[in-house]
Amino acid sequence: MQPSPTQTGRWRALQAHAQRLRAMRTLELFTRDPQRVTRCSAQACGLYLDYAKQRLDAAAIDALIALAEERELAQWRERLFAGDCVNGTEARPALHMALRAPRGARFIDSRHGDVLADVHATLDAMRRFAGAVRGGGWRGATGAAITDVVNIGIGGSDFGPRMVCEALRPFVDGPRPRFVANVDPADLNDVLAGLAPATTLFVVVSKTFTTQETLANARRARSWLVESLGEAAVAHHFVAVSTNVREVALFGIAPANMFGFWDWVGGRYSLWSAVGLSAMLALGPERFDALLAGAHAMDRHFIEAPAAANLPVLLGLIGIWNSNFLGCASQVVVPYAQRLALFCGWLQQLEMESNGKGVDRDGRTVDHPTTPALWGSVGSNAQHAYFQMLHQGPAVHAIDFILPVEGDAGCDEMQRMLVANCLAQSAALMRGKSVHEVRAELQATGLSGAALEAAVPHRVFPGDRPSNTLLLPRLDPAHLGALLALYEHRAFVQGVIWGVNSFDQWGVELGKQLTRRILDRQSDAVIDPSTAVLMQRTGLRR
Ligand code: F6P
């Protein structure tokens, strides 16, 4: 049994480093170390990470790496890739890296042996199906070609393919991808409003095929189709992605129209499996392959690169440093790329479902914060929303800026503006503006006396607000794959340091149980008086 990380000498050493560095301006660190920009940067798979704006120096980085060694990060990474049951509470491996490994690689599920043959058999089946739908070989019940694909799924069965289709929109040349997740009927209604049954294909995605929201949407979609095309049309317009053949068959989708995956694929790590089918249909098999190849390249980097040059290790340790040692209030992620508008939602599930845990692997209550609240949205829009708080609010938040350098062709001037905005924000957050500077600025405008003094405090920026900047050459399938795998491994690194199981999610169960009870009107014994009244007022109980 590993002790809590807080009980180690390495943790205490890091607390001392934090105290030392809190007393120093970040800008001063550049003066002290002329090599800082080189030292505090790393690159892999085309991605460049600048972390020179963090309140870190070489000694603190070494201490963080020493903490990772003490927490046996290398050994846990080996166990992860070896297919050991790293998901202890469910006695399963977490082998999502196998989903993007090329033929010939070896990935072993410690319980059942080699998984790669199954992975590639499924990928081949997906490619054949995508080729047929895109090429017109697979048609709807009336003989019309498929023009729209509706992915019905939620959580990990939605965020990944939805975000990828949005991020790679210029590469979409197949049927139009649509997504329905919410059990709010408005979601499905709005999507169906623009569609014709004869040209619509539904992909029902659910690892368990028992998720209430997904099944409710799938049933309504099925009725919508059957009403106009009849029962026999289901076989032409519905396919399933699941691990649960029995439930899929009970729903009325034949096993021949099902794409499988395995219990060792966690929902939030499942984009690379058949869960990505809607993305493959939209983008085509080659681009989906490029996405997988980018992620695989990041897997290799994660295994091979030394800690000090390892992007997932560095990002993970910097996150720990900011939240556990510098006390940052949250993790903000701001992509300066409109097409990454859904990235944050995907990342929220990845990080907060993975590491939002209050007990360690052995079931002991943790004595330190685990994953911070993660939020964000695209820049430059975000600058006109919550950046005021990031710059001048009393709490300090850690920020990741993500910036594809090259934008859409023929729009160089606007892309330059976007890039300049991104760089200006991270610089301003670090630099701040002192009382002295503000006073000088105001004096130059002619202000003086009491009016000047009253104006000064409102215009001061404390600075020293830490950020990473991650550059991608452009938003294409390979670089997107690498970016997503980078954050997946970052979550793993942090889970290892905190000592939690990053691959289960028991915290979602109680709400599901109570929903069922409320729907069954079993309120009296289990529901508190407040909820009982709300049930009455909403018509759930008379
Ligand atoms: O949110 C809980 C959860 O179990 C996620 O982990 C998962 O991605 C989502 O529900 C959907 O589950 P399924 O794919 O089984 O429908």
Side-chain angles (χ1 to χ4, degrees):
M1 237 187 243
Q2 264 189 329
S4 163
T6 63
Q7 303 309 311
T8 64
R10 305 265 157 97
W11 194 271
R12 283 188 290 279
L14 278 159
Q15 285 172 325
H17 281 296
Q19 203 172 1
R20 174 176 65 80
L21 285 157
R22 253 192 245 111
M24 227 179 268
R25 297 297 317 264
T26 316
L27 275 175
E28 198 184 319
L29 298 172
F30 287 86
T31 323
R32 287 178 177 228
D33 178 6
Q35 299 306 312
R36 181 172 178 79
V37 176
T38 313
R39 198 191 299 281
C40 296
S41 60
Q43 45 192 324
C45 314
L47 275 52
Y48 173 85
L49 169 69
D50 172 296
Y51 61 99
K53 295 186 176 76
Q54 297 289 344
R55 303 189 82 173
L56 269 171
D57 62 4
I61 295 165
D62 288 347
L64 281 166
I65 291 173
L67 174 69
E69 279 162 15
E70 180 158 309
R71 301 300 289 170
E72 300 181 342
L73 175 61
Q75 291 86 330
W76 277 101
R77 182 177 52 197
E78 223 163 87
R79 290 192 60 196
L80 175 76
F81 278 82
D84 280 7
C85 291
V86 290
N87 177 355
T89 63
E90 296 178 299
R92 293 172 185 167
L95 273 174
H96 41 281
M97 302 79 60
L99 300 166
R100 52 228 189 186
R103 284 181 217 278
R106 243 170 93 77
F107 272 94
I108 309 289
D109 174 340
S110 57
R111 302 161 307 167
H112 309 306
D114 194 356
V115 300
L116 224 64
D118 284 347
V119 165
H120 280 278
T122 305
L123 272 171
D124 287 342
M126 289 165 64
R127 287 186 192 109
R128 280 194 298 275
F129 179 67
V133 173
R134 289 163 57 87
W138 174 290
R139 288 176 176 265
T142 65
I146 299 297
T147 57
D148 295 270
V149 170
V150 182
N151 187 97
I152 299 181
I154 197 164
S157 299
D158 168 74
F159 285 126
R162 188 196 288 256
M163 177 261 297
V164 164
C165 287
E166 180 67 16
L168 300 178
R169 194 188 275 250
F171 298 92
V172 170
D173 58 2
R176 280 181 295 269
R178 322 264 183 178
F179 293 87
V180 174
N182 201 334
V183 76
D184 178 347
D187 198 5
L188 182 64
N189 289 345
D190 289 352
V191 167
L192 294 185
L195 299 181
T199 53
T200 301
L201 175 75
F202 293 96
V203 181
V204 185
V205 187
S206 175
K207 181 175 172 182
T208 54
F209 230 77
T210 56
T211 302
Q212 206 186 46
E213 295 98 318
T214 300
L215 291 184
N217 275 316
R219 278 191 293 265
R220 276 196 59 227
R222 192 181 199 283
S223 307
W224 175 81
L225 180 91
V226 169
E227 250 168 50
S228 61
L229 298 182
E231 193 64 39
V234 172
H236 301 265
H237 293 267
F238 271 82
V239 297
V241 175
S242 185
T243 59
N244 192 340
V245 194
R246 199 174 148 269
E247 288 295 329
V248 169
L250 281 175
F251 179 84
I253 297 177
N257 287 350
M258 169 178 155
F259 298 85
F261 60 112
W262 308 273
D263 71 350
W264 47 262
V265 184
R268 51 195 175 273
Y269 299 89
S270 64
L271 159 69
W272 325 97
S273 70
V275 170
L277 182 62
S278 300
M280 189 193 271
L281 284 162
L283 297 164
E286 284 99 42
R287 293 182 187 119
F288 193 78
D289 283 350
L291 182 84
L292 299 185
H296 175 69
M298 186 55 74
D299 293 340
R300 299 300 320 160
H301 167 74
F302 181 44
I303 302 174
E304 287 160 9
N310 192 306
L311 293 188
V313 173
L314 287 168
L315 269 194
L317 292 176
I318 291 167
I320 300 263
W321 170 252
N322 282 328
S323 60
N324 292 89
F325 295 97
L326 294 185
C328 287
S330 74
Q331 173 72 64
V332 189
V333 179
V334 190
Y336 273 68
Q338 183 57 36
R339 296 194 184 104
L340 285 178
L342 303 180
F343 178 73
C344 240
W346 173 81
L347 193 55
Q348 281 179 325
Q349 188 202 13
L350 175 67
E351 297 226 344
M352 296 198 276
E353 204 165 85
S354 294
N355 290 333
K357 308 286 164 68
V359 296
D360 68 11
R361 274 186 231 103
D362 300 306
R364 295 168 306 186
T365 303
V366 296
D367 59 358
H368 51 81
T370 55
T371 207
L374 184 144
W375 57 285
S377 58
V378 290
S380 60
N381 310 23
Q383 292 168 207
H384 303 272
Y386 49 81
F387 267 62
Q388 162 64 45
M389 179 189 80
L390 299 181
H391 283 289
Q392 287 188 314
V396 175
H397 302 261
I399 307 169
D400 280 3
F401 291 97
I402 299 173
L403 175 64
V405 176
E406 192 182 300
D408 280 2
C411 307
D412 292 356
E413 199 41 46
M414 284 182 73
Q415 181 66 17
R416 276 165 52 80
M417 281 168 73
L418 182 75
V419 171
N421 269 279
C422 180
L423 305 189
Q425 289 301 322
S426 60
L429 284 157
M430 173 180 70
R431 192 178 194 293
K433 197 189 270 185
S434 67
V435 172
H436 177 71
E437 288 171 296
V438 173
R439 201 172 273 134
E441 262 183 27
L442 291 175
Q443 276 163 349
T445 68
L447 207 64
S448 63
L452 181 138
E453 291 312 321
V456 167
H458 301 282
R459 288 157 174 78
V460 169
F461 291 68
D464 293 318
R465 310 223 147 177
S467 69
N468 291 316
T469 299
L470 198 54
L471 301 181
L472 283 68
R474 69 198 71 80
L475 201 48
D476 60 16
H479 292 107
L480 181 66
L483 176 73
L484 304 183
L486 166 58
Y487 275 91
E488 283 183 352
H489 292 316
R490 169 182 126 128
F492 174 74
V493 168
Q494 297 194 330
V496 169
I497 305 291
W498 288 319
V500 301
N501 176 358
S502 301
F503 300 109
D504 61 9
Q505 60 282 321
W506 297 105
V508 303
E509 295 303 325
L510 179 57
K512 289 185 190 171
Q513 263 176 19
L514 288 191
T515 303
R516 279 193 294 272
R517 289 188 187 163
I518 288 174
L519 282 172
D520 294 346
R521 297 165 200 250
Q522 289 177 5
S523 61
D524 297 340
V526 285
I527 300 289
D528 58 274
S530 154
T531 308
V533 170
L534 292 171
M535 285 172 69
Q536 261 163 6
R537 294 186 75 93
T538 53
L540 284 180
R541 198 177 71 154
R542 265 165 260 294

